[in-house]
Amino acid sequence: MKVIGIVGMPASGKGEVSRIARDLGIPVVVMGDAIREKVKEAGLPLTDANLGAISGKLRADLGMDAIARITIPAIEATAAPVVLVDGIRGDYEVTAFREHFPDFTLIAIVSSFETRYARLANRGRSDDSLTAGELRSRDERELGWGLLRALAQADCRITNEGTLEEFAAEARSLLCRVGGLS
């Protein structure tokens, strides 16, 4: 099984890469879905604060690679030759995936704070930060999980500062190349 991991700061474009992967017929496993499920199980609303708290608790209780380990069975359950995993937040998760999946490629999506903040205003997800301060807090939380170290371990990098069309074309080309698609 070929596993392609996506890492990036909030609102950098990870979800768009996932959408493109689905369009290419690549199954996508979103790590955040596992966290959203845990928040629902706890009877809490799906807010950024609750998602962050549950994520932090899982990492504190089970180790910094907890979300990766929770996600691995979902990746394997696809039984697909190529799978994309969206939402890697730390270097411990990268290590867990590299150890478990010998054919693992990590793609970093990089966007400036200003670009990401502008996107959040248009995205409308329940866990999206609405102020610059809240986005900075979310960034700091995720950086504390080893996000910069994960970004540094990427095998490939896409800078997402242009148009959606430019980004989509670059992402599609990279996914086809890395995933061995024609």
Side-chain angles (χ1 to χ4, degrees), residues 31-160:
M31 294 177 71
D33 288 349
I35 298 164
R36 280 184 271 283
E37 190 58 37
K38 298 285 185 188
V39 170
K40 288 179 190 173
E41 287 172 12
L44 300 170
L46 291 174
T47 64
D48 180 60
N50 288 338
L51 291 165
I54 294 292
S55 296
K57 180 166 177 29
L58 287 167
R59 287 175 172 93
D61 293 350
L62 305 174
M64 292 301 286
D65 64 347
I67 313 305
R69 287 187 288 111
I70 290 168
T71 305
I72 285 171
I75 295 167
E76 292 176 330
T78 68
V82 181
V83 178
L84 184 131
V85 61
D86 175 350
I88 293 170
R89 292 293 192 269
D91 53 327
Y92 288 90
E93 295 169 346
V94 173
T95 299
F97 287 132
R98 287 197 195 279
E99 287 175 356
H100 196 85
F101 300 107
D103 196 359
F104 178 81
T105 301
L106 184 62
I107 299 173
I109 311 299
V110 180
S111 293
S112 69
F113 180 87
E114 294 76 20
T115 298
R116 295 183 300 110
Y117 180 61
R119 288 184 188 134
L120 284 176
N122 298 319
R123 196 163 74 171
R125 246 179 30 195
S126 67
D127 60 322
D128 283 339
S129 301
L130 299 178
T131 69
E134 289 168 335
L135 179 57
R136 281 191 185 88
S137 294
R138 186 171 170 186
D139 284 356
E140 288 302 315
R141 180 183 71 216
E142 294 188 10
L143 290 169
W145 294 331
L147 185 54
L148 273 183
R149 292 186 303 272
L151 284 163
Q153 293 178 22
D155 302 295
C156 314
R157 178 176 305 265
I158 301 175
T159 299
N160 184 10

